[in-house]
Amino acid sequence: MIHQGYLRAADLVLLLHASFVAFVVGGWLLVSLGGWLKWDWVRRPLFRGAHLVAIAFVTVQAALGRVCPLTTLENFLRDRAGTEPTYPDTFIRYWVGRCLFYEADPWVFTAAYLAFLALVIANLWLVPIRKAPRSPATPSPES
C-alpha cells in the first residue's frame, strides 16, 4: 500500500533539491550576467556567501564519497511510502528526477563539482563582492 503523505513529502524534498540545484547553477549565471550588466544585488555578501557555501558543500560531499542528504531523505520517504527509491512513480519525481540525476561514475560528478566551484571562485574575483557601506559617523552629544 502506498502512503500518499510520505510520497508527497518525498516529492517536496525533490522540488527542494531541484531548487537548490537551480540556486547553485542559476546563481552563477546571474552573478556572471549581473557583473557584466552592473547589477548591484549580485555583489551582496549574503547572496554570494550563501552561493559559495552551497557549491562548496556539494563539492565536499562528493569528494568524501557521500550521498547528498536530500537524496537520502527523499529515498527514505519513498521507502516509507511503500514505493521503490528509483524512478518513475509520480509526475514530479519522473520529470524533476530526469533533469537532476544522471548515470556516471562518481569521479565524474566530483570533477564537475570541483570545476563548478572553481568557476564560482573565479566569479569572486571577476565580480567582486561589494563592501558594506560605511555609516556616517554619528555626532557626539557634546557637539
Side-chain angles (χ1 to χ4, degrees):
M1 176 173 169
I2 295 177
H3 299 280
Q4 292 299 319
Y6 285 114
L7 195 56
R8 285 189 178 94
D11 283 346
L12 286 174
V13 170
L14 181 60
L15 288 174
L16 176 64
H17 203 169
S19 298
F20 183 85
V21 171
F23 172 68
V24 170
V25 176
W28 178 80
L29 290 170
L30 287 171
V31 167
S32 299
L33 183 62
W36 183 59
L37 295 174
K38 308 218 183 304
W39 294 342
D40 188 50
W41 68 269
V42 300
R43 296 177 184 271
R44 291 187 181 152
L46 183 61
F47 172 72
R48 297 294 289 280
H51 188 246
L52 180 61
V53 166
I55 186 59
F57 176 78
V58 169
T59 304
V60 168
Q61 287 289 109
L64 295 175
R66 296 204 174 124
V67 176
C68 173
L70 292 173
T71 301
T72 302
L73 176 58
E74 180 192 349
N75 286 336
F76 168 78
L77 291 168
R78 291 197 189 283
D79 182 56
R80 295 292 297 214
T83 64
E84 294 294 320
T86 57
Y87 304 112
D89 57 350
T90 67
F91 178 82
I92 292 171
R93 170 96 169 159
Y94 180 77
W95 286 106
V96 174
R98 292 216 30 173
C99 293
L100 283 180
F101 301 110
Y102 301 97
E103 291 294 323
D105 290 333
W107 72 265
V108 173
F109 293 104
T110 302
Y113 300 147
L114 282 168
F116 199 80
L117 177 61
L119 288 174
V120 170
I121 291 170
N123 257 356
L124 289 171
W125 177 69
L126 294 169
V127 184
I129 295 173
R130 165 186 80 195
K131 291 185 168 88
R134 292 185 180 180
S135 59
T138 53
S140 63
E142 294 95 29
S143 321

